[in-house]
Amino acid sequence: MSDTATPYKRRPKSVKGMEFRQQPDGSYALVAATADQIANGDRKKLSISVAHQVEQCPAAQLAKNNIPRQSDPFAANELGSGAHDTLEHVYLLPRGKRDEDAFDRYTLDVADRVWSEKKLLDLYPPSVEANRELKAKWLEIVSTWAKRIALMEDPNEIDVVGTEIELDGVMTSNGVLSTGKIDRLRRLDSGFLVIEDYKFGVWKGEPNPKFQDGYKEQQHLYLDLYFQMTGERAVGMEILYPRHPHRRIIDFKQAEFDQTLVNFKHARTELDGYAATGVFP
């Protein structure tokens, strides 16, 4: 994460009642109009994604959290969420039970929630048939994405300690109240724990070390939070890309780990300052 956010040098458009005001240095900052808008932009429990947003552009972070979210079920992130939900449930099954039928069953459960017909039957019955056609298309894509994990591992050989492990309200080792979820915690034959995260974007190769590695920083944070919560230290960090498929193994370096926590606390301090004034540069 960068030390300081890059300020706007020309006046952008106003956002949902908030307005950009010129600051003494000539840059512009987004000024919240109400206490509710400030509360939406503030996060008492800080996540790594919000910390990144604060360090990159506080004004964008404020605006994003005050604009209604538009959802497209066929957007890559939504399809990935569906596949992620499937894997969450499949890997909670005992080893030996994680077969193709389990994948199909849980993917259909997810699709039934996403493409529920209940409201459509009440509001606009003619749309039900179109909904079913779209659901079938969505189901096919999500099922394919989830099942591709079997190309990188045998699901029945994975010793899963837990999935979607809540880290909500856990304090980091340097005193930042945080939130997050570990997608999957795996125990190796050696007994050591590995923190794993699913990513359904396209694997584009190892990140350039000259630039920020947000996924690595996320794993650093989860490593710290899990130890603070349980007293048990995980030794491995991995990011799984089922669509590729690829398993990215992250080497632990103490200096990088320490710097992630320093930057995370800095983001907390910065966000507290912006929320106190309602001014987000």
Side-chain angles (χ1 to χ4, degrees), residues 201-212:
V202 177
W203 168 248
K204 298 179 181 179
E206 290 293 332
N208 188 326
K210 294 181 180 179
F211 300 102
Q212 180 184 22

Side-chain angles (χ1 to χ4, degrees), residues 20 36 114 244 263:
F20 281 94
D36 284 344
V114 173
H244 188 67
N263 291 343

